[in-house]
Amino acid sequence: QVQLVESGGGLVQAGGSLRLSCAASGRIFSINAVGWYRQAPGKQRELVAAITSGGRTNYADSVKGRFTIARDNAKNTAYLQMNSLKPEDTAVFYCNAKIVAVHYPVEDDYWGQGTQVTVSS
């Protein structure tokens, strides 16, 4: 069974920083693209940042220059470094990964349980 577990959320003042982690575990053959999404109360889930297996990244316009996505393939872990946080960044952040599992050799979508990020003004 493949699992994604996020960590690193919390409460921070505006202008502060947080680093989120997303660790994949289980019988994994390969991890392709990884994305961080967020969902604020009353809003739809939106893509914040994504990274391919080759390291190519893309970001939502609202976080460009402030957030950085990275991955450590040896650890099956992805990160989201968030700097200059704003109150409007407050949301539950979710990790998504396109994973090929050993027992099911077709790429499938996996989601973490979410981690709350709250930015106070």
Side-chain angles (χ1 to χ4, degrees):
Q1 194 80 336
V2 174
Q3 276 191 315
L4 295 182
V5 177
E6 298 113 335
S7 60
L11 173 65
V12 65
Q13 287 190 328
S17 298
L18 285 173
R19 189 176 84 150
L20 305 182
S21 298
C22 172
S25 62
R27 301 188 68 203
I28 295 169
F29 178 75
S30 65
I31 301 176
N32 298 326
V34 177
W36 284 97
Y37 291 73
R38 65 184 178 189
Q39 187 166 19
K43 294 189 176 181
Q44 287 194 331
R45 191 172 296 190
E46 64 173 353
L47 178 64
V48 174
I51 185 167
T52 67
S53 57
R56 185 172 297 177
T57 59
N58 68 280
Y59 297 92
D61 287 343
S62 59
V63 306
K64 279 180 183 175
R66 299 189 298 123
F67 291 11
T68 302
I69 188 171
R71 61 193 289 169
D72 184 335
N73 292 328
K75 295 182 179 179
N76 286 344
T77 300
Y79 305 95
L80 186 67
Q81 177 67 43
M82 304 186 294
N83 299 328
S84 302
L85 282 161
K86 305 175 181 180
E88 51 264 43
D89 293 317
T90 295
V92 178
F93 281 70
Y94 297 90
C95 176
N96 169 267
K98 316 290 187 185
I99 294 176
V100 179
V102 169
H103 63 276
Y104 186 63
V106 174
E107 182 183 278
D108 205 354
D109 254 355
Y110 290 86
W111 289 89
Q113 81 285 358
T115 185
Q116 177 70 47
V117 171
T118 303
V119 185
S120 62
S121 56

